[in-house]
Amino acid sequence: MTKKKILRISTVPMSLNLVLKGQLRMINEVYELVAVSSPGKDLEEVAQREGVRTIELPMERRISLWKDFKSLVAMIRLIRKEKPWMVHSLTPKAGLVSMMAAKLCGVPVRIHTFTGLVFPTATGLKRKILMFTDRLTCSCATLVNPEGQGVKRDLEQYHICRKPMQIIGNGNVNGIDMAYFQRTEEVMQEAEKYRKPGVTTYCFVGRIVGDKGINELVAAFDRLYKENQKIRLLLVGPFEEELDPVTPETRKKIESHPAIEAAGWQSNVRPFLAASDIFVLPSYREGFPNVLMQAGAMGLPCIATDINGSNEIILQGKNGVIIPSKSEEALYTVMRETVNEPERWDEMASNARESIGSRYDQQAFWKELKAFYASLE
């Protein structure tokens, strides 16, 4: 019996390689899965690791009318050639291009996954353009998959989507590999390189940019450090100069502060999480942040802002604390509490791994995803 064909499409190959790790191989056992994205080394890794066929199709992340039109034409040609049963897109530009092309080509099942919305934090003309493109993506899809309840709520409240919407499992796009994110002997040995005994270590993992709340985090940490030198801030991630860089003052403080360590981008974040005590994600916007699930799986209580995704993963007072976004004062206050009330945070740490595993285990998510696909046949 011939397998039904599914095109999984993202703008850049890193999304397929990192975000959907393992999932493509699993789906390919039931369907014929073809991974499509812009060219790159990540796409080669997807082909080798996942054992799926891959196709290069250039797409621009930013708005570029001519390049976007060329991508649309190329996508139409690709879909006409491949004749898939389903097109399932993951990222904004891939969603816009592939949903339009799939509708024009009459693909029976057209799904777009919204992993987060950019327009709520945008302003002016940019906001209007982003809302229009999201509406266009939804109008061309047969079904929309919001990554979490917060994303679904925004799609409804801003009248972006009137199509059927379905969250898979408890949210997220791939679940969390609990076997990988745990304190194995190997991970703990590696963590010894980064551990600093006798201090409370706060950890952040992600891009070092403004909308991740880094300016507020560094300012709050510096205030607390002036009161208590037995603390440390570990920043794991790359600086970005083009898209929303941190302020010059923040950058200077990160580079000169005696208790702030910038580790840069790391392919394996587990040792850094294992060497830390508290995880902090003071972001302005997210879809459904994997890094909070990773930190929780590694047994860290989390401080996170009251935004989509974060306020679903973190259960107030159980596996972490939710605070207002864009507030240096709120960050300072709760970070101060972690030092002054260690027993409360130790209890949240003991709850952290079970809280994540019971809701977001990857194997359970994959089972839900297969059932979701089967229901559309």
Side-chain angles (χ1 to χ4, degrees):
M1 183 177 176
T2 304
K3 292 181 179 179
K4 291 187 174 182
K5 185 184 292 184
I6 297 175
L7 302 186
R8 286 303 307 264
I9 305 177
S10 72
T11 311
V12 295
M14 185 178 291
S15 300
L16 298 174
N17 191 22
L18 301 183
V19 178
L20 299 185
K21 185 178 181 180
Q23 185 185 123
L24 304 182
R25 175 180 290 276
M26 180 272 298
I27 292 297
N28 197 48
E29 294 172 359
V30 182
Y31 303 92
E32 180 189 349
L33 191 139
V34 181
V36 182
S37 80
S38 296
K41 184 179 178 181
D42 281 283
L43 196 59
E44 298 172 12
E45 291 184 14
V46 167
Q48 294 172 2
R49 187 190 64 237
E50 304 289 329
V52 301
R53 186 158 59 94
T54 60
I55 297 175
E56 297 179 354
L57 194 153
M59 285 175 276
E60 192 78 12
R61 292 181 68 181
R62 295 184 178 184
I63 297 170
S64 174
L65 292 179
W66 174 239
K67 289 182 179 180
D68 294 345
F69 176 74
K70 290 173 66 177
S71 296
L72 177 62
V73 171
M75 188 70 73
I76 290 171
R77 288 174 177 163
L78 172 63
I79 290 173
R80 284 178 175 170
K81 179 182 176 182
E82 295 292 331
K83 298 179 174 60
W85 162 67
M86 175 195 293
V87 171
H88 186 172
S89 53
L90 180 64
T91 51
K93 184 59 70 66
L96 178 64
V97 171
S98 65
M99 289 299 101
M100 289 176 65
K103 183 172 183 178
L104 289 170
C105 294
V107 176
V109 182
R110 308 182 297 273
I111 304 170
H112 178 64
T113 295
F114 279 97
T115 56
L117 299 171
V118 180
F119 72 80
T121 56
T123 57
L125 180 60
K126 182 180 179 181
R127 179 186 176 95
K128 292 179 181 179
I129 292 172
L130 291 170
M131 292 178 72
F132 171 76
T133 55
D134 282 347
R135 288 188 178 117
L136 185 55
T137 299
C138 287
S139 70
C140 292
T142 57
L143 193 146
V144 171
N145 165 225
E147 191 174 14
Q149 293 292 342
V151 175
K152 181 181 180 182
R153 187 166 52 249
D154 282 349
L155 289 170
E156 292 172 336
Q157 289 181 352
Y158 289 98
H159 306 293
I160 301 297
C161 184
R162 292 180 174 83
K163 292 285 179 70
M165 289 192 280
Q166 183 169 339
I167 296 171
I168 301 171
N170 291 308
N172 195 237
V173 295
N174 203 25
I176 179 75
D177 186 346
M178 297 297 290
Y180 180 78
F181 285 98
Q182 64 174 318
R183 294 178 179 241
T184 63
E185 183 178 345
E186 178 186 0
V187 168
M188 297 310 293
Q189 287 177 353
E190 186 70 14
E192 286 301 317
K193 299 177 184 178
Y194 312 109
R195 190 182 304 281
K196 196 165 185 180
V199 302
T200 298
T201 297
Y202 303 92
C203 182
F204 166 88
V205 176
R207 295 176 299 115
I208 312 299
V209 294
D211 73 358
K212 290 291 184 182
I214 299 300
N215 295 314
E216 292 85 354
L217 174 59
V218 169
F221 175 83
D222 186 49
R223 285 177 61 185
L224 185 59
Y225 181 78
K226 289 173 180 175
E227 302 172 10
N228 183 346
Q229 281 74 56
K230 292 185 177 181
I231 61 172
R232 177 177 66 146
L233 177 60
L234 189 56
L235 301 175
V236 183
F239 286 93
E240 288 195 4
E241 301 300 335
E242 295 182 3
L243 296 174
D244 191 34
V246 295
T247 64
E249 294 78 14
T250 296
R251 179 69 180 261
K252 183 178 180 181
K253 191 162 289 184
I254 290 172
E255 293 173 344
S256 62
H257 201 288
I260 298 179
E261 299 177 28
W265 184 86
Q266 300 289 330
S267 61
N268 181 10
V269 300
R270 294 175 300 168
F272 296 91
L273 294 172
S276 303
D277 300 291
I278 311 287
F279 188 80
V280 189
L281 184 65
S283 187
Y284 298 173
R285 61 177 181 87
E286 295 285 343
F288 210 91
N290 289 319
V291 69
L292 282 181
M293 295 191 295
Q294 294 167 1
M298 293 297 292
L300 291 184
C302 299
I303 300 170
T305 41
D306 191 9
I307 57 173
N308 288 345
S310 295
N311 55 18
E312 297 174 52
I313 297 168
I314 302 305
L315 305 177
Q316 187 72 288
K318 181 177 181 181
N319 62 337
V321 169
I322 296 291
I323 61 171
S325 179
K326 303 181 182 180
S327 173
E328 175 193 326
E329 189 63 33
L331 261 176
Y332 164 76
T333 300
V334 74
M335 290 172 74
R336 194 167 184 265
E337 287 176 2
T338 67
V339 177
N340 296 336
E341 303 174 24
E343 297 84 3
R344 179 179 177 229
W345 287 85
D346 287 345
E347 183 179 353
M348 284 189 274
S350 67
N351 295 332
R353 182 170 170 83
E354 189 279 331
S355 177
I356 296 300
S358 64
R359 292 178 291 153
Y360 304 115
D361 177 73
Q362 188 172 81
Q363 295 299 319
F365 178 87
W366 285 357
K367 184 177 180 180
E368 293 274 359
L369 179 62
K370 284 195 287 187
F372 171 61
Y373 279 1
S375 71
L376 301 174
E377 292 190 39

